[in-house]
Amino acid sequence: MNITMNHGAGGRVMHDFIQKSVVGHLGNDLLTRMDDAAVLDLPAGSRLALTTDSYVVHPLFFPGGDIGRLAVCGTVNDLSTAGADPLYLTLAFILEEGFPLADLDRILASIAATAREAGVRIVTGDTKVVERGKGDGIFINTAGVGAIPAGVDLSTHNARPGDVILVSGPMGNHEVALFAVREKLPFSTSIESDATPLNHLVQRLLATTPEIRAIKDPTRGGVASALWEICEHSGVAVTVDEESLPVDKEVRGVCELVGFDPLYLANEGKLVVVCGPEAEGPLLEVMGPGAARIATVYRGPAALTMETAIGGRRRLSMLESVQLPRIC
Amino acid sequence: MNITMNHGAGGRVMHDFIQKSVVGHLGNDLLTRMDDAAVLDLPAGSRLALTTDSYVVHPLFFPGGDIGRLAVCGTVNDLSTAGADPLYLTLAFILEEGFPLADLDRILASIAATAREAGVRIVTGDTKVVERGKGDGIFINTAGVGAIPAGVDLSTHNARPGDVILVSGPMGNHEVALFAVREKLPFSTSIESDATPLNHLVQRLLATTPEIRAIKDPTRGGVASALWEICEHSGVAVTVDEESLPVDKEVRGVCELVGFDPLYLANEGKLVVVCGPEAEGPLLEVMGPGAARIATVYRGPAALTMETAIGGRRRLSMLESVQLPRIC
């Protein structure tokens, strides 16, 4: 059974598909009402965090994840970086005519499992279908709403001189896992995407210390782009210590082979955390093995520099051109 | 200048595009912060309405609107039907490599103008690019957040026997305008889409009477599908009076020519309102000329029936197959 234009027409076929497949996997008291907008409560006194991402990853299924897991993790993680407790997600499909319903079912099951893992509910959605050749199987958009408790104020605008910057684990696994499966690299089948919802980790970090200024999830553009954004938004200089950068051995091997720089590779389950220097130890302990302090914040103007392993210094720029397209 | 894969890579090209084109058109103090999630305030004591839609309309520009206007109106209107005051929108693009930047700029200008008309702010977004042949120029997703004042409770689950059902103006203009431009019908160039943000009208209706039970915007599947949903959700029988149905003369002409049923045609600027019988007069007056009482609610079981102009009765079903694909 495959998707037809009628699955997006607003009539009986679409209605039955949503009732059986979507509600079957994702049903909760809010989604099941099926009004055009979900009506939600927010904890009193909290501010709202709102984010969105579309997912066009290729291939749809890859070691460590799939487009559905990514669509939940990416949006949950963007909310988490604002210090928000992710509560509600929207879910919108753009399906290509002919897409196998069995694949869609597998993706819906993954979305449901990942949402349970993160503790978020999918409360409203949309399905559109485009003609064969006008899409690429399935694109997903999720938007997310979270509640930011009073007193929490995380922003890439908040870094200040003297702060240190931590990363929660090795870099590049998501993008290299996609590269390996696309290129059918024979020796790297053990590299898996790190796609993970990070909200529980963020809540543990926030409970550890009030000295966290900013959290970023280094997705497209990698850790370097996250650091670059912190420099620019906060008007500070950041110096990276090359020797401290955590990279798994197999990921490093692929990078050396094909010329990828792990600092620019996408992650889907890692955090970059800016904090006061006294918070470094406690936060690294919560993050666990693999986490590392990778950089220090100095007075501006905004600049991103790396102290290299051989004792030199070089300027890091933004990602200039795509290493691998459609990684999320 | 056309979209390249680098516009979606998370590096310098994407950053410059967003700063110049997106922020240039849509900039406000919230969007300009450019954190991964926007941090927002909601009026104290209000509940939250959340909705999403993707837009894949073809062609991108049509009489009376374009994909950008549609992407704002559709989401604003879904929030409005919950009785919410629409406040914040997300905006996510899936662009096909090679898409002309001039067209994107025109769409962004339309989004900005429509957001101003509706009084909503675009506070966060996302840009993805897929390879040539894997998309269709541009797909847009918007999600929206609105605040529902205390005491407002609109839902298609709330209709009760004795209620009447109104429509705010003539049916089918959006879908027939798209059909006319796609088929290059020579005689119907004056038919325009009705794409309009309806939040201001909904606020005026809510200020008129507390006797409104439900509001629907009859988009895909048309007025018949909206009525069908009310029947099913509220467990009531609804009888439509065929003679009362408002349809513009030119729209009726196209329908007769090609066999479309206006009851199933998509609208993007109309409301279906369920209300107590005493509210009919005041609400029709606020809606203005073109509005009409089209149906009455009876005790269930759920059923949708039409009293035809020639005195018969027939059962109305859900839309069984698509009249025109990709209308929104």
Side-chain angles (χ1 to χ4, degrees):
Chain A
M1 289 276 290
N2 298 322
I3 289 290
T4 67
M5 295 309 290
N6 277 328
H7 283 91
R12 181 167 307 279
V13 176
M14 179 168 139
H15 176 266
D16 290 351
F17 158 69
I18 289 170
Q19 285 299 333
K20 279 179 210 153
S21 297
V22 180
V23 175
H25 281 290
L26 307 176
N28 56 60
D29 54 331
L30 293 164
L31 182 65
T32 306
R33 284 184 68 82
M34 283 287 146
D35 272 323
D36 287 336
V39 177
L40 311 169
D41 290 310
L42 265 201
S46 52
R47 284 164 304 151
L48 188 77
L50 177 65
T51 191
T52 190
D53 267 313
S54 296
Y55 299 86
V56 299
V57 68
H58 174 77
L60 300 175
F61 304 96
F62 48 82
D66 58 77
I67 190 172
R69 181 167 179 82
L70 217 53
V72 175
C73 291
T75 295
V76 161
N77 294 348
D78 277 347
L79 292 174
S80 303
T81 63
D85 185 19
L87 299 174
Y88 308 115
L89 258 54
T90 67
L91 176 65
F93 294 123
I94 298 176
L95 304 171
E96 185 187 5
E97 185 185 13
F99 186 65
L101 274 165
D103 285 353
L104 185 52
D105 201 62
R106 195 173 150 200
I107 290 165
L108 278 163
S110 173
I111 289 171
T114 313
R116 273 194 301 275
E117 187 180 339
V120 296
R121 282 189 287 181
I122 290 154
V123 295
T124 190
D126 180 52
T127 302
K128 294 290 190 309
V129 180
V130 296
E131 301 89 343
R132 206 180 289 263
K134 300 294 185 184
D136 195 16
I138 179 171
F139 301 141
I140 301 180
N141 178 282
T142 51
V145 162
I148 305 176
V152 170
D153 174 27
L154 302 183
S155 168
T156 52
H157 298 255
N158 292 354
R160 49 182 104 153
D163 286 348
V164 298
I165 302 183
L166 319 176
V167 66
S168 65
M171 305 183 302
N173 297 53
H174 174 71
E175 188 159 343
V176 169
L178 280 173
F179 178 77
V181 68
R182 276 199 223 166
E183 301 297 321
K184 302 188 175 59
L185 297 189
F187 53 86
S188 54
T189 47
S190 62
I191 301 176
E192 292 199 338
S193 167
D194 56 352
T196 308
L198 293 166
N199 51 322
H200 303 307
L201 175 58
V202 167
Q203 293 303 319
R204 290 207 305 280
L205 297 175
L206 290 174
T208 302
T209 168
E211 291 296 310
I212 300 179
R213 321 277 189 233
I215 302 181
K216 277 285 292 180
D217 63 325
T219 54
R220 273 184 296 177
V223 169
S225 299
L227 295 176
W228 191 92
E229 188 176 320
I230 291 161
C231 290
E232 196 186 49
H233 285 186
S234 294
V236 294
V238 167
T239 301
V240 180
D241 173 11
E242 185 175 26
E243 289 208 293
S244 70
L245 294 171
V247 185
D248 281 344
K249 195 178 151 203
E250 288 149 310
V251 171
R252 192 178 295 278
V254 174
C255 285
E256 285 170 0
L257 188 73
V258 298
F260 286 165
D261 184 341
L263 259 181
Y264 292 89
L265 289 177
N267 312 274
E268 293 290 343
K270 296 299 180 324
L271 296 173
V272 168
V273 175
V274 186
C275 63
E278 66 286 2
E280 174 186 337
L283 291 177
L284 288 176
E285 194 175 317
V286 173
M287 291 174 178
R293 167 185 163 165
I294 59 166
T296 310
V297 180
Y298 298 96
R299 197 167 305 281
L304 182 59
T305 311
M306 185 156 76
E307 292 185 344
T308 64
I310 54 165
R313 288 176 73 89
R314 69 177 172 94
R315 185 82 183 270
L316 295 176
S317 61
M318 292 187 78
L319 179 67
E320 287 297 337
S321 74
V322 63
Q323 300 192 100
L324 195 69
R326 295 182 60 185
I327 50 176
C328 61
Chain B
M1 289 276 291
N2 298 321
I3 289 290
T4 67
M5 294 309 290
N6 278 328
H7 282 91
R12 180 167 308 278
V13 175
M14 178 168 138
H15 175 266
D16 290 350
F17 159 69
I18 289 171
Q19 284 299 332
K20 279 179 210 153
S21 296
V22 180
V23 175
H25 280 292
L26 306 175
N28 57 61
D29 53 331
L30 293 164
L31 181 66
T32 306
R33 285 185 67 82
M34 283 287 146
D35 272 323
D36 286 336
V39 178
L40 311 169
D41 290 310
L42 266 201
S46 52
R47 284 163 305 150
L48 188 77
L50 176 65
T51 190
T52 190
D53 267 312
S54 296
Y55 299 87
V56 300
V57 68
H58 175 77
L60 299 175
F61 304 95
F62 47 84
D66 58 76
I67 190 172
R69 181 167 177 83
L70 218 52
V72 174
C73 291
T75 294
V76 161
N77 293 349
D78 278 347
L79 292 173
S80 303
T81 63
D85 184 19
L87 298 174
Y88 307 115
L89 258 54
T90 67
L91 175 66
F93 294 122
I94 298 176
L95 304 171
E96 184 188 7
E97 185 185 13
F99 186 66
L101 274 165
D103 284 354
L104 184 52
D105 200 64
R106 195 174 151 201
I107 290 165
L108 277 163
S110 173
I111 289 170
T114 313
R116 272 194 301 275
E117 187 180 340
V120 296
R121 281 188 287 180
I122 289 154
V123 295
T124 189
D126 180 52
T127 302
K128 295 290 191 307
V129 180
V130 296
E131 301 88 345
R132 206 179 289 263
K134 300 294 184 183
D136 196 15
I138 179 170
F139 301 141
I140 300 180
N141 178 282
T142 51
V145 162
I148 305 176
V152 171
D153 173 28
L154 302 184
S155 168
T156 52
H157 298 254
N158 292 353
R160 47 182 106 153
D163 285 347
V164 298
I165 302 183
L166 321 177
V167 65
S168 64
M171 305 184 302
N173 296 53
H174 174 71
E175 188 159 344
V176 169
L178 279 173
F179 178 77
V181 67
R182 277 199 221 166
E183 301 296 321
K184 301 187 175 60
L185 298 188
F187 54 85
S188 54
T189 46
S190 62
I191 302 176
E192 292 199 340
S193 166
D194 56 353
T196 309
L198 293 165
N199 51 322
H200 303 307
L201 174 58
V202 167
Q203 293 304 318
R204 289 206 306 279
L205 297 175
L206 289 174
T208 302
T209 169
E211 292 297 309
I212 299 179
R213 321 279 189 232
I215 301 181
K216 278 284 294 179
D217 62 325
T219 54
R220 274 185 294 178
V223 168
S225 299
L227 296 175
W228 191 93
E229 189 176 318
I230 291 160
C231 290
E232 195 184 50
H233 286 186
S234 294
V236 294
V238 168
T239 301
V240 180
D241 173 11
E242 185 176 26
E243 288 208 295
S244 71
L245 294 170
V247 185
D248 281 345
K249 195 179 151 202
E250 288 148 310
V251 171
R252 192 178 295 278
V254 174
C255 285
E256 285 169 359
L257 188 73
V258 297
F260 287 165
D261 183 341
L263 258 181
Y264 292 89
L265 289 177
N267 312 274
E268 293 290 343
K270 295 298 179 324
L271 296 173
V272 168
V273 175
V274 186
C275 63
E278 65 286 1
E280 175 187 336
L283 291 177
L284 287 177
E285 194 174 318
V286 173
M287 290 173 177
R293 168 185 163 164
I294 60 166
T296 311
V297 180
Y298 298 96
R299 197 166 306 282
L304 182 59
T305 311
M306 185 156 74
E307 293 186 342
T308 63
I310 56 165
R313 287 176 74 90
R314 68 177 173 95
R315 185 82 183 271
L316 294 176
S317 61
M318 291 188 77
L319 179 67
E320 287 297 337
S321 73
V322 63
Q323 299 192 101
L324 195 68
R326 296 181 61 186
I327 51 175
C328 60

